[in-house]
Amino acid sequence: MMTQIETTVHYDNGYEEVYMLQEEEWDRDMLLDPAWEQQQRKTFTAWCNSHLRKAGTQIENIEEDFRNGLKLMLLLEVISGLSTSGKIIFPVTVKDFPIPVFPFYHILSVGERLPKPDRGKMRFHKIANVNKALDFITSKGVKLVSIGAEEIVDGNVKMTLGMIWTIILRFAIQDISVEETSAKEGLLLWCQRKTAPYRNVNVQNFHVSWKDGLAFCALIHRHRPDLLDFSKLNKDDPLGNLNLAFDIAEKHLDIPKMLDAEDIINTPKPDERAIMTYVSCFYHAFAGAEQAETAANRICKVLGVNQENEKLMEEYERLASELLEWIRRTTPWLENRTPEKTMAEMQRKLEDFRDYRRQHKPPKVQEKCQLEINFNTLQTKLRISNRPAFMPSEGKMVSDIASAWQGLEQAEKGFEEWLLTEIRRLERLDHLAEKFRQKATNHENWASGKELILTQKDYETATLTEVRALLRKHEAFESDLAAHQDRVEQIAAIAQELNELDYHDIASVNQRCQSICDLWDKLGTLTQKRREALERTEKLLETIDQLFLEFAKRSAPFNNWMEGAMEDLQDMFIVHTIEEVQSLIAAHEQFKATMPEADAERQAILGIHNEVQKISQSYGIKANIINPYSTITTEELLNKWEKVKKLVPHRDGALQEEMARQHAHERLRRQFAAQANLIGPWIQARMEEIGRCSLEIGGTLEDQMTQLKQMEHVIIVYKPNIDKLEGDHQLIQESLIFDNKHTHYTMEHIRVGWELLLTTIARTINEIETQILTRDAKGISQQQMNEFRSSFNHFDRKKNGAMDTDDFRACLISMGYDLGEVEFARIMMLVDPNATGIVSFQSFIDFMTRETADTDTAEQVVASFRILAADKPYILVDELRRELPPEQAEYCIMRMPPYKGPGTPPGALDYTAFSTALYGESDL
């Protein structure tokens, strides 16, 4: 009669695997081959003891120790999840193993317990206990055919080993699943995958493939390379390889030694069931370690993202503080409008301002742009990682920095205009002050001694001729005094203008002007008194020398004309255009045209003097004849005339030099205008190209990034043209050229356009980088990104890079959204949290990526921590340091709050609160 053992294993997916063991095959495998029976006895005994030791017991003889059914029931309780005391069996951790080593059994149902065993020693008591164990096995979906309690109680080795093998299949091998294969096939595939990279290892079965020991060593080295050096193993030393693997597994992996190396080597075909049982222990040991490693990796990834974000936040705070502090220090300097007293001091202020524009401000422009880029990148990373948005410290928002920067630029613009105005004012003041000093000196020289002359009473002792001479002399003085009236008025007018322009030394000017006016009034009074006295005396005097009188009358105006001519020829002039110089040259030519007439007058005056000398000689006058009517001598007239003739060519040269200087200024104007008229349109064209590139949807984001990088390179290469224009502008300012009719571009226009171009290209590149980062992080395809951009561009009716509320609603409806008022209000809170009524392209992309992609969640992180904590609601400091890298472990310890609950050990930490706080769902 042929008997069979049928084992049917039911899987969760409904699949059943049936193990049919023919009695003849069993006899052939077990009874007819003592080596196999010995291997199974040893392996199954060790496997049972690996679980029974958790309950504090073991077996020595497998067919004898299970006969009463008590240890068999205890074994089933242990491997089903409960010990005999009712306490849950938790995974154990080997001291030398850095990660948890999970039990070699599979926990099927926590809380199940076998019926209470019979404690009697009679045969029927033993049969009852064994039946309870077999019923429990049957309740787990295993059909036992031809295995009865009587055979186990009777110590039937074949049936006992068959029953233990059935238990091993059900509780240790059945749930092994690798790439849609399970049980034996799954375990074999797992071994093949793990040992594939190793030389001389080719696992094809569970018997001869393991004889040389290399397969066992490969499994250990694959998961714990620190335990052995596989490169030093020798295929020709199977005994050494097997003993090495068995010793390491027992010492470091908590896998008991279930096989003997000599038995495997000496058996042509080792027992398949023994090796499968032993290999399954490796699978369960390493499968638990891999699960813990995966959980640790997830936590490290989440913590790494959080640490990187915190570094970016700290860097933003630092850069924002430095930039705001620089603006705070610089703005008062630009707002200071305290004028300097001299041209040199104002020129130094202008040079300081140029240094500020060339050296100090450009790096700050780059810092401001980089700060905005860092802020946008940080916010994008936070959105991608499902973290709350970053809120900078009070007063350090991007808008705060932009407002402070705007105030700086306004102060800067007003400061430059004020500097140029002050320089023009000081230049005018210096010119007027010098003119005042020259005219005042000439007048003072003329008036010197006049008061003394007017107060003399020489007419009282004079003869009639002398009196007449004194009268004529006084008339000449009055003519001279009248001629100086214009000079005094000019001096007063210049002093008044200096007062109006707030000249720094106005006190001395006013004092000198007042002295001149007081003396002028006094001279007028004295002149009137002397005339009255001479007229009274004139009645007594009859003789007068007509020639001296005529000489005095003609020489005084001529002398005054020459003094006026010398003043005009030496007068300083300031002009800004060629036309003004030409006007001065024309006036000078008119003056030169009067020289022949003046020379004729000079000859006539000299003729009068010569006539006096001729009469004196003719009539033999011996006395020293002195003209009583005038102090002007012919020598003085001759000297002044020679001085006038010398000043005329000197004036010609000065005017020609000024004409050459104005021509040079005109060349500077034209040179600046030629460059500015090219650079201005070039900047505008680049701005339009950037705008077109940002709206194109034909290519990929990488294509747009490449095009923008090329544009950025072109812009950077163009920088020397701006620097050259700055140099030309500096020459213009140093030459005090204040207008340019050849171009409507100013250096300020070019600077503002250039800075705007640099900022625009940097921001556009950052927007594309943000889109790429969002696309890659969220798994958005290029086609989806193009569809999003196409939809946005279509409903951006104003073409200003934003949609209003109605356009955004129409866009969502066109993309298939069924919008009610409540749902649309919720979406608007996401894309327009500030209620501006405008939806930007970045906000639109963020919303669409949130709708089409998923990210890590707080629940996933909590589940990962729960794995590391072995299902405890808290985690210990030692567990964090054992499972995580040092940096991430210390990060968690510093931030994780204490766990509060009954029976909590000291130092327990609340990983649930920590995980939810990472995603902004709670506050630590």
Side-chain angles (χ1 to χ4, degrees), residues 891-904:
Y891 181 86
C892 291
I893 293 169
M894 292 296 294
R895 289 165 172 75
M896 200 172 285
Y899 179 80
K900 298 178 182 178
T904 303

Side-chain angles (χ1 to χ4, degrees), residues 430-481:
D430 288 346
H431 171 69
L432 289 175
E434 182 61 25
K435 190 171 183 179
F436 174 85
R437 285 191 291 270
Q438 287 186 2
K439 288 185 176 293
T441 300
N442 290 333
H443 178 76
E444 289 167 347
N445 291 336
W446 172 84
S448 178
K450 295 296 189 293
E451 181 179 357
L452 181 61
I453 294 173
L454 292 174
T455 57
Q456 290 179 355
K457 295 183 179 180
D458 52 344
Y459 54 84
E460 293 180 348
T461 60
T463 64
L464 179 59
T465 304
E466 292 173 343
V467 170
R468 287 183 176 178
L470 290 175
L471 184 58
R472 299 299 180 268
K473 182 179 180 181
H474 188 71
E475 291 175 351
F477 175 78
E478 287 180 331
S479 298
D480 196 13
L481 186 66

Side-chain angles (χ1 to χ4, degrees), residues 394-507:
E394 183 177 359
K396 297 180 183 178
M397 295 289 291
V398 173
S399 58
D400 296 329
I401 296 173
S403 177
W405 188 265
Q406 183 180 4
L408 176 73
E409 292 190 331
Q410 289 177 350
E412 174 186 323
K413 181 179 180 182
F415 186 74
E416 184 176 21
E417 294 174 353
W418 174 77
L419 280 176
L420 296 177
T421 301
E422 277 299 305
I423 288 174
R424 295 189 189 100
R425 184 182 69 83
L426 289 176
E427 183 183 30
R428 173 67 176 165
L429 282 175
D430 288 346
H431 171 69
L432 289 175
E434 182 61 25
K435 190 171 183 179
F436 174 85
R437 285 191 291 270
Q438 287 186 2
K439 288 185 176 293
T441 300
N442 290 333
H443 178 76
E444 289 167 347
N445 291 336
W446 172 84
S448 178
K450 295 296 189 293
E451 181 179 357
L452 181 61
I453 294 173
L454 292 174
T455 57
Q456 290 179 355
K457 295 183 179 180
D458 52 344
Y459 54 84
E460 293 180 348
T461 60
T463 64
L464 179 59
T465 304
E466 292 173 343
V467 170
R468 287 183 176 178
L470 290 175
L471 184 58
R472 299 299 180 268
K473 182 179 180 181
H474 188 71
E475 291 175 351
F477 175 78
E478 287 180 331
S479 298
D480 196 13
L481 186 66
H484 278 79
Q485 177 70 34
D486 291 338
R487 292 186 183 180
V488 175
E489 292 176 355
Q490 290 176 6
I491 291 172
I494 293 173
Q496 179 65 27
E497 188 171 357
L498 289 173
N499 273 279
E500 293 174 355
L501 294 177
D502 195 22
Y503 181 59
H504 68 91
D505 195 18
I506 193 62

Side-chain angles (χ1 to χ4, degrees), residues 643-895:
K643 188 173 182 180
V644 169
K645 289 197 298 182
K646 290 180 180 179
L647 288 175
V648 169
H650 184 268
R651 182 74 168 183
D652 285 333
L655 290 173
Q656 292 303 320
E657 288 178 1
E658 183 62 27
M659 177 62 78
R661 191 168 73 91
Q662 290 302 323
H663 278 297
H665 288 181
E666 186 65 12
R667 287 193 297 273
L668 288 177
R669 290 189 183 97
R670 293 180 182 274
Q671 181 177 338
F672 177 87
Q675 294 184 71
N677 289 335
L678 293 176
I679 292 175
W682 186 88
I683 292 176
Q684 182 63 31
R686 300 293 81 75
M687 290 290 292
E688 293 174 357
E689 288 179 5
I690 294 171
R692 289 194 299 270
C693 178
S694 63
L695 295 176
E696 290 178 356
I697 60 173
T700 64
L701 292 176
E702 285 74 12
D703 293 339
Q704 293 184 28
M705 177 61 69
T706 300
Q707 186 176 359
L708 287 172
K709 288 292 186 180
Q710 292 173 352
M711 291 182 185
E712 185 182 41
H713 177 70
V714 170
I715 292 171
I716 293 173
V717 171
Y718 199 77
K719 181 64 167 58
N721 296 314
I722 304 298
D723 296 338
K724 185 177 184 301
L725 190 64
E726 284 281 7
D728 292 342
H729 181 255
Q730 181 176 348
L731 292 177
I732 286 177
Q733 286 195 328
E734 290 173 351
S735 300
L736 300 179
I737 301 173
F738 304 108
D739 56 356
N740 193 341
K741 64 182 180 181
H742 303 293
T743 180
H744 64 277
Y745 291 104
T746 65
M747 195 63 228
E748 182 62 25
H749 293 154
I750 298 299
R751 291 191 193 110
V752 171
W754 179 254
E755 292 173 359
L756 180 60
L757 179 62
L758 292 177
T759 302
T760 301
I761 188 66
R763 286 177 176 170
T764 305
I765 290 175
N766 177 248
E767 289 177 0
I768 299 301
E769 289 175 342
T770 300
Q771 294 177 28
I772 293 175
L773 182 62
T774 302
R775 181 199 64 190
D776 295 341
K778 298 294 187 176
I780 304 301
S781 67
Q782 182 63 45
Q783 182 180 359
Q784 287 177 305
M785 292 296 292
N786 289 341
E787 289 176 357
F788 296 160
R789 180 178 289 276
S790 176
S791 298
F792 183 90
N793 290 342
H794 177 75
F795 288 94
D796 180 14
R797 307 188 191 282
K798 297 180 180 179
K799 303 305 178 185
N800 58 353
M803 292 186 290
D804 57 26
T805 303
D806 294 336
D807 291 337
F808 180 60
R809 181 194 294 272
C811 180
L812 292 179
I813 293 174
S814 70
M815 299 178 72
Y817 282 81
D818 185 13
L819 296 176
E821 290 299 325
V822 176
E823 177 63 11
F824 182 72
R826 182 191 69 81
I827 294 175
M828 285 302 297
M829 286 295 295
L830 294 176
V831 300
D832 184 22
N834 296 326
T836 61
I838 297 298
V839 179
S840 66
F841 179 72
Q842 188 59 46
S843 297
F844 178 76
I845 288 296
D846 291 342
F847 170 75
M848 295 308 299
T849 53
R850 283 197 297 270
E851 293 295 308
T852 55
D854 54 351
T855 59
D856 291 334
T857 63
E859 290 76 13
Q860 292 175 328
V861 178
V862 170
S864 298
F865 272 115
R866 185 177 294 113
I867 292 175
L868 298 187
D871 284 334
K872 299 190 297 293
Y874 57 83
I875 192 166
L876 301 177
V877 172
D878 292 339
E879 292 175 331
L880 285 173
R881 287 177 174 158
R882 183 179 65 236
E883 306 300 344
L884 300 178
E887 182 178 0
Q888 278 74 21
E890 295 304 321
Y891 181 86
C892 291
I893 293 169
M894 292 296 294
R895 289 165 172 75

